[in-house]
């Protein structure tokens, strides 16, 4: 692909031919990042594929469909060989454990519901790997995330993917403006995942029919508690299930087995009305349950805010935006009231159920696709 005659830029936004543009592609071994690498290689870019080994191969090979497991590294290497570009595997086990897994365990033990995929993007892929890309003299780094990077009046902006069913903006809110300047997301404009698989088939990629990974890469079958027990032996201490007045309704085998909003599997049947987990008291080893209406939250305290909007975060006393408090929920209208450059109170105009410490609160332009940043919901929720 040559330069665009209108702008004088190539498809990645550089004023030079693709052959003179080096791009490092973060390859997980899945179909998305493989298509990105193949697409850019076909367009004539100087592609370098990099795959991260994030955890022990022995355990990883036993987990079908996990990101960056042994089979995934093998698949990424096969794609690179097929398309004729170099591919490197970097050992990031220690970095991943220190930056992601340990915090996941500690956060879960503290009664929060962490989102390790966000921390992985923030602390590993878009930090250490991005620096590695710079060390390789790359002009940019491309990933298979479904999100869009668009040029605005003040520089690059982050926008939701064209396919709302695949949009990964919730997991990328902590991307900084400096990182966004270096990153590219070639799949964000595609209308559906089917289009990605069609491209994979057209390029003849061996991963064209590979299923998507469903779970957190180091959590087999979505069983968080079993992973925590391996990481922190003895962490699952038994305690009581109590109602909001402190009455004991039953016992449990560890707070780590419960999440805010949970209804099923409480082991306290026979009650007239359904009860939900409304709070986890780790210090007293109590799972506190109550009626569904107690889950409704309007005021959400947020910290560690990464602001991607125009101007400084504290320029305005309040901002009317839309927010997501869970990755699976649509954005809802809210008001952000800054406390400092990195802290705020978010008022939800319509109360949300099951707002949990450890989840992210991501800010969106109301009625638009732009991501304005976000932060972490903390204990006051």
């Amino acid at each position: 692909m040559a330069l665009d005659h209108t702008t004088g830029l190539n498809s990645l936004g550089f004023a030079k031919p693709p052959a003179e543009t080096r791009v490092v592609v973060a390859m997980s071994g899945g179909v998305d990042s493989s298509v990105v690498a193949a697409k850019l290689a076909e367009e004539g870019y100087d592609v370098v594929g990099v795959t991260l080994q994030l955890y022990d191969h022995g355990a990883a090979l036993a987990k079908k469909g996990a990101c960056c497991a042994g089979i995934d590294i093998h698949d990424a290497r096969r794609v690179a060989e097929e398309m004729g570009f170099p591919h490197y595997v970097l050992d990031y086990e220690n970095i991943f454990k220190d930056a992601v897994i340990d915090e996941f365990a500690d956060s879960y033990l503290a009664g929060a519901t962490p989102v390790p995929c966000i921390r992985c993007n923030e602390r590993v892929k878009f930090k250490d790997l991005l620096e590695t890309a710079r060390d390789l003299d790359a002009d940019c780094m491309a990933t298979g995330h479904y999100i869009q990077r668009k040029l605005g009046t003040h520089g690059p902006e982050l926008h939701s993917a064209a396919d709302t069913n695949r949009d990964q903006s919730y997991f990328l809110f902590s991307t900084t403006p400096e990182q966004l300047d270096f990153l590219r997301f070639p799949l964000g404009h595609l209308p559906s995942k089917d289009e990605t698989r069609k491209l994979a088939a057209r390029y003849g990629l061996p991963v064209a029919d590979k299923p998507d990974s469903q779970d957190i890469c180091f959590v087999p079958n979505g069983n968080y508690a079993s992973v925590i027990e391996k990481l922190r032996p003895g962490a699952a201490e038994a305690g009581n299930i109590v109602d909001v007045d402190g009455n004991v309704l039953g016992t449990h085998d560890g707070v780590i087995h419960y999440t805010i909003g949970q209804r099923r599997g409480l082991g306290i049947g026979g009650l007239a009305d359904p009860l939900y987990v409304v709070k986890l008291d780790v210090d007293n080893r109590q799972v506190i349950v109550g009626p569904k209406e107690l889950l409704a939250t309007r005021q959400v305290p947020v910290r560690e805010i990464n602001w991607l909007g125009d101007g400084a975060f504290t320029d305005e006393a309040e901002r009317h935006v839309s927010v997501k408090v869970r990755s699976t929920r649509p954005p809802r209208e809210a008001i952000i009231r800054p406390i400092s450059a990195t802290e705020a109170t978010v008022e939800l105009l319509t109360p949300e159920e099951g707002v949990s410490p450890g989840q992210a609160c991501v800010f969106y332009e109301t009625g638009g696709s732009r991501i304005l940043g976000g932060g972490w919901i903390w204990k006051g929720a």
Side-chain angles (χ1 to χ4, degrees):
M1 180 178 288
L3 299 180
D4 185 299
H5 294 300
T6 305
T7 64
L9 304 176
N10 62 32
S11 65
L12 292 178
F14 297 98
K16 54 184 177 179
E20 297 174 17
T21 306
R22 175 169 290 178
V23 51
V24 164
V25 180
M27 299 182 69
S28 68
V31 65
D32 298 325
S33 57
S34 296
V35 165
V36 168
K39 180 176 186 294
L40 295 175
E42 185 189 61
E43 291 177 8
Y45 286 96
D46 178 10
V47 173
V48 178
V50 175
T51 301
L52 304 181
Q53 178 186 323
L54 297 179
Y55 46 87
D56 176 69
H57 278 195
L61 283 170
K63 173 158 169 36
K64 185 177 181 180
C67 164
C68 304
I71 189 66
D72 295 314
I73 292 172
H74 173 70
D75 286 343
R77 183 177 291 121
R78 287 174 63 201
V79 169
E81 290 173 354
E82 293 266 350
M83 299 302 298
F85 59 81
H87 174 257
Y88 301 96
V89 178
L90 304 181
D91 183 354
Y92 270 49
E93 279 192 42
N94 290 337
I95 293 172
F96 188 66
K97 182 178 184 300
D98 293 343
V100 179
I101 294 180
D102 283 345
E103 184 189 88
F104 168 82
D106 293 339
S107 180
Y108 217 84
L109 287 175
T113 308
V115 191
C117 298
I118 297 176
R119 290 302 196 193
C120 182
N121 290 325
E122 173 189 323
R123 297 176 175 178
V124 180
K125 293 176 182 175
F126 291 176
K127 184 183 176 186
D128 292 280
L129 179 55
L130 192 144
E131 287 306 313
T132 298
R134 293 187 192 278
D135 291 342
L136 291 170
D137 294 324
D139 294 285
C140 63
M141 185 174 89
T143 79
H145 289 106
Y146 286 86
I147 196 166
Q148 298 187 79
R149 174 189 183 274
K150 298 182 179 181
L151 288 178
T153 54
H154 299 283
E157 299 174 353
L158 207 57
H159 288 256
S160 299
D163 180 3
T164 55
N165 293 322
R166 304 296 303 183
D167 177 59
Q168 292 175 291
S169 58
Y170 183 85
F171 301 99
L172 296 169
F173 79 86
S174 60
T175 306
T176 67
E178 294 76 22
Q179 292 168 343
L180 192 55
D181 193 50
F182 193 71
L183 289 164
R184 300 293 188 274
F185 308 106
L187 302 184
H189 69 286
L190 295 181
S192 71
K193 180 63 176 269
D194 288 342
E195 294 300 314
T196 305
R197 293 200 179 276
K198 287 178 184 177
L199 285 172
R202 181 161 75 80
Y203 298 135
L205 301 183
V207 296
D209 297 320
K210 187 173 181 177
D212 293 338
S213 178
Q214 300 297 322
D215 301 321
I216 294 170
C217 65
F218 60 91
V219 181
N221 305 315
N223 191 340
Y224 290 15
S226 67
V227 172
I228 300 300
E229 288 176 308
K230 289 179 182 177
L231 292 169
R232 301 287 188 271
E237 295 184 275
N240 290 326
I241 299 174
V242 303
D243 63 20
V244 291
D245 296 319
N247 300 308
V248 176
L249 304 179
T251 59
H252 63 76
D253 295 326
V255 172
I256 63 172
H257 295 283
Y258 299 85
T259 57
I260 302 295
Q262 179 177 335
R263 176 187 172 188
R264 298 183 184 280
L266 299 181
I268 50 172
L271 299 172
D273 298 312
L275 295 176
Y276 299 77
V277 176
V278 297
K279 186 177 180 181
L280 298 173
D281 185 344
V282 175
D283 293 337
N284 294 309
R285 302 197 301 279
Q286 288 184 337
V287 174
I288 301 166
V289 297
K292 189 175 184 180
E293 56 263 28
L294 291 183
L295 288 172
T297 300
R298 187 181 289 275
Q299 302 292 331
V300 182
V302 180
R303 60 185 179 185
E304 291 185 62
I305 288 171
N306 178 57
W307 178 244
L308 292 170
D310 299 331
F313 180 59
T314 53
D315 281 352
E316 299 178 26
E318 60 180 46
R319 298 174 185 269
H320 290 253
V321 299
S322 294
V323 303
K324 274 189 183 186
V325 293
R326 293 256 177 156
S327 63
T328 54
R329 296 180 183 175
R332 303 286 177 85
E333 289 190 49
I335 300 172
I336 305 174
R337 296 186 176 89
I339 297 171
S340 70
T342 58
E343 286 191 70
T345 298
V346 175
E347 179 184 351
L348 305 173
L349 300 192
T350 303
E352 287 264 11
E353 294 176 351
V355 176
S356 175
Q359 295 282 304
C361 179
V362 181
F363 313 150
Y364 296 81
E365 172 188 38
T366 298
S369 62
R370 187 178 178 187
I371 294 95
L372 300 174
W376 295 93
I377 301 168
W378 64 291
K379 277 289 187 182

